[in-house]
Amino acid sequence: MIVKEKPKAFYDTFERKGAGQKVTHYCPGCGHGTAHKLIAELLVELDIQDRTIFLSPVGCSVFAYYYMDTGNIQCAHGRAPAVGTGIRRTHKDAILISYQGDGDLAAIGTAEIIHAANRGENMTVFFINNAIYGMTGGQMAPTTLEGQKTLTTPLGRSSGRDGNPIGMAELMNAIKAPVYIERVSLSTAGKVLKARKVFKKALENQIEKKGFSFVEVLSPCPINWKMDPVEARSWMQAQLEPIYPVKNFRDESLLPPPHDDTLPQMEEKEMKQLLSAGGAIPEGKNPAPDLEQRVKIAGFGGQGVLSAGVLLANYAIARGYQATWLPSYGPEMRGGKANASVIFSSRAIGSPVVAVPNVLIALNTPSLISFEPDVERGGLIMVNSTLISDKVKREDVDVLYIPASEMAKESGVMATANVIMLTIYLKYKGLADTEILKKILPLSVKRKDAVAVNLKMMEKALTYFEEELT
Ligand code: SF4
């Protein structure tokens, strides 16, 4: 006896959609429901539900996480293959399902899918091609057929004006690395059964770590095609399938050797060379316990904002701390806004983002205005008082006004104000080891002819601290 029941990989009720909900948000006759069901059945059949991470796109299936009782990540538009790539680096045994529509995969996310395919990432991509933007109301998609009427092509797509429909399976087939590429259709019951076999194969490839599998799924969108579900399936057979032939493009899953999923890890030495001036940074030991500094250094391009961040992060590493450096800057070469977020901590750092700094080093007025409100209560704000005439309004933070640019003027290099501010900050916090600072500073200054002047400004800052701040 065949028992038809909801696959166990679906939640029993879709509580995220609403209390007690049992139906999906998809329109009647939509192909997403069918594709979801096939995947959910296979997760159970292949016993992979507990290690599956379902990567949802932006599009009609944005809420797949309402339904799939798996790991779920709702990715930024088009970025699911990039998110999967990141997960793969840390979870070798996870089953990654990148489930994407045509707007998501073939327009906004073209770069991500091509490069994930080109790397042969061990993941399975289900590309739902319904030849239209569904969620946003039926605009032309990259896969819209010539002559097909959409919201943005009311008289029909014109290849001369709008380009040709893109065959994504064909495009994938131009790339060497994918192990499996097939296009299926959900237009008839027979084709749905065939699609199930293809879905299964694509998932098995991943389980066996064979590499990148791409399944293009021709899928009905009756609502935006302005048809009823039956007409929509007829239209698929008459119009869609001749342009997008249903066939296997590649199956190298049986060819030895299987995809090598042993990702080459970057050697520690190589990592240090990348991050720390040629690996010359000494490894510090025994940092002070329970210390976390979240430092925002902000100013305009050309003030040495980003290099101050590098210097601070390198110094912290040399003191034995974990450290991160996250730059942010505008497109201008000089003069635009710039800030560096540096975290150093005696513990592992979860994220390099500094949303609530406990130290703000403001080198110009806009930086003080932008970041003063964010500083943690009890934190420290350092103000370059040469360039900032405003006073700090907060009364729940420590404030140091340092005429850093005025002091730097003597050196002839205004950008050394950054070293002055950093040195005083470290002294003020009791974190300065001047011998280490002197060793690290030359490694962090790009222009070697500027090392001496930076060292001189560091000494000047130390003197200033002793004379003015103690
Ligand atoms: S708009 Fe189209 S693709 Fe989206 S849920 Fe409705 S039928 Fe499905």
Side-chain angles (χ1 to χ4, degrees):
M1 183 177 69
I2 297 173
V3 178
K4 296 289 179 199
E5 58 180 0
K6 194 195 295 187
K8 298 267 185 294
F10 282 138
Y11 290 114
D12 188 33
T13 51
F14 305 138
E15 300 298 320
R16 286 178 176 142
K17 181 166 181 266
Q21 288 282 331
K22 285 198 175 270
V23 294
T24 69
H25 69 289
Y26 297 120
C27 310
C30 174
H32 279 300
T34 310
H36 279 24
K37 179 168 178 286
L38 297 182
I39 293 171
E41 283 176 357
L42 289 165
L43 296 183
V44 176
E45 186 178 322
L46 297 170
D47 195 21
I48 52 174
Q49 180 183 355
D50 287 347
R51 59 190 178 109
T52 292
I53 301 175
F54 200 97
L55 307 167
S56 307
V58 171
C60 282
S61 50
V62 67
F63 296 131
Y65 62 90
Y66 284 177
Y67 314 125
M68 293 286 176
D69 186 5
T70 58
N72 282 286
I73 295 182
Q74 204 286 304
C75 306
H77 213 343
R79 309 303 184 240
V83 172
T85 299
I87 297 170
R88 178 56 75 222
R89 296 298 179 273
T90 50
H91 293 282
K92 285 180 70 168
D93 292 324
I95 298 297
L96 303 174
I97 295 179
S98 184
Y99 185 98
Q100 302 178 261
D102 36 34
D104 190 83
L105 181 142
I108 289 96
T110 322
E112 278 71 17
I113 190 64
I114 285 180
H115 292 291
N118 194 41
R119 289 189 299 271
E121 298 291 343
N122 189 35
M123 64 172 72
T124 306
V125 177
F126 293 109
F127 167 47
I128 308 298
N129 176 6
N130 53 25
I132 207 159
Y133 272 77
M135 181 182 74
T136 48
Q139 296 83 355
M140 190 195 88
T143 49
T144 296
L145 301 185
E146 173 98 31
Q148 186 181 339
K149 291 180 180 167
T150 70
L151 204 62
T152 45
T153 55
L155 300 180
R157 180 179 189 164
S158 151
S159 58
R161 185 191 53 212
D162 308 315
N164 291 293
I166 296 180
M168 285 309 295
E170 286 82 354
L171 199 58
M172 288 290 110
N173 202 26
I175 299 171
K176 193 173 161 200
V179 71
Y180 185 64
I181 303 166
E182 183 142 354
R183 181 182 287 127
V184 298
S185 174
L186 304 179
S187 63
T188 66
K191 285 177 183 156
V192 170
L193 289 177
K194 166 71 177 158
R196 191 182 194 282
K197 287 188 183 143
V198 172
F199 280 31
K200 186 175 180 184
K201 174 90 179 157
L203 289 168
E204 284 173 338
N205 287 342
Q206 187 179 170
I207 295 166
E208 292 161 22
K209 300 189 190 303
K210 287 180 174 163
F212 188 87
S213 294
F214 183 89
V215 182
E216 178 169 340
V217 185
L218 302 181
S219 176
C221 176
I223 204 86
N224 283 310
W225 294 351
K226 306 198 186 322
M227 299 174 192
D228 67 35
V230 175
E231 283 171 340
R233 278 154 179 80
S234 300
W235 185 81
M236 287 174 72
Q237 293 171 74
Q239 303 295 332
L240 208 55
E241 291 170 14
I243 303 298
Y244 298 117
V246 172
K247 65 173 191 172
N248 177 266
F249 289 79
R250 184 183 305 173
D251 184 0
E252 294 181 352
S253 58
L254 297 178
L255 293 182
H259 175 74
D260 179 8
D261 84 321
T262 52
L263 294 166
Q265 297 296 324
M266 189 175 277
E267 295 290 331
E268 199 178 322
K269 192 168 160 229
E270 194 183 358
M271 176 83 80
K272 281 186 180 162
Q273 277 184 336
L274 264 178
L275 299 176
S276 62
I281 292 183
E283 272 189 56
K285 301 233 173 346
N286 307 320
D290 296 327
L291 179 131
E292 182 175 274
Q293 292 284 281
R294 301 182 305 279
V295 184
K296 182 78 82 178
I297 306 167
F300 53 76
Q303 283 189 301
V305 170
L306 305 188
S307 54
V310 174
L311 171 60
L312 181 58
N314 285 344
Y315 170 77
I317 293 167
R319 290 289 311 269
Y321 293 101
Q322 306 279 330
T324 61
W325 168 75
L326 186 67
S328 169
Y329 47 88
E332 309 90 340
M333 284 297 284
R334 300 186 84 77
K337 279 186 187 171
N339 73 72
S341 297
V342 175
I343 303 177
F344 62 98
S345 173
S346 36
R347 291 182 296 272
I349 298 166
S351 161
V353 174
V354 174
V356 183
N358 51 20
V359 178
L360 168 63
I361 299 176
L363 293 169
N364 66 357
T365 302
S367 304
L368 181 63
I369 293 169
S370 292
F371 296 113
E372 180 185 335
D374 298 340
V375 176
E376 183 178 84
R377 182 178 296 187
L380 169 67
I381 297 181
M382 294 182 65
V383 177
N384 177 11
S385 58
T386 312
L387 300 185
I388 306 174
S389 54
D390 297 19
K391 296 295 177 204
V392 173
K393 296 182 185 63
R394 299 268 302 268
E395 292 181 350
D396 57 352
V397 294
D398 293 341
V399 182
L400 293 178
Y401 294 99
I402 312 291
S405 294
E406 182 64 30
M407 291 163 73
K409 204 188 264 178
E410 176 205 306
S411 72
V413 183
M414 294 299 283
T416 55
N418 62 359
V419 169
I420 292 167
M421 295 291 262
L422 271 192
T423 306
I424 292 173
Y425 152 63
L426 290 170
K427 280 297 280 183
Y428 184 78
K429 286 285 183 183
L431 293 167
D433 180 323
T434 48
E435 288 314 306
I436 293 180
L437 201 48
K438 279 180 196 164
K439 276 189 200 149
I440 293 302
L441 194 143
L443 303 175
S444 306
V445 175
K446 274 192 196 147
R447 282 183 44 202
K448 295 308 159 202
D449 59 344
V451 169
V453 72
N454 275 282
L455 284 168
K456 192 172 160 200
M457 287 303 104
M458 191 190 98
E459 294 290 355
K460 185 166 182 163
L462 292 170
T463 305
Y464 179 90
F465 180 85
E466 296 304 332
E467 292 177 354
E468 304 289 336
L469 298 173
T470 54

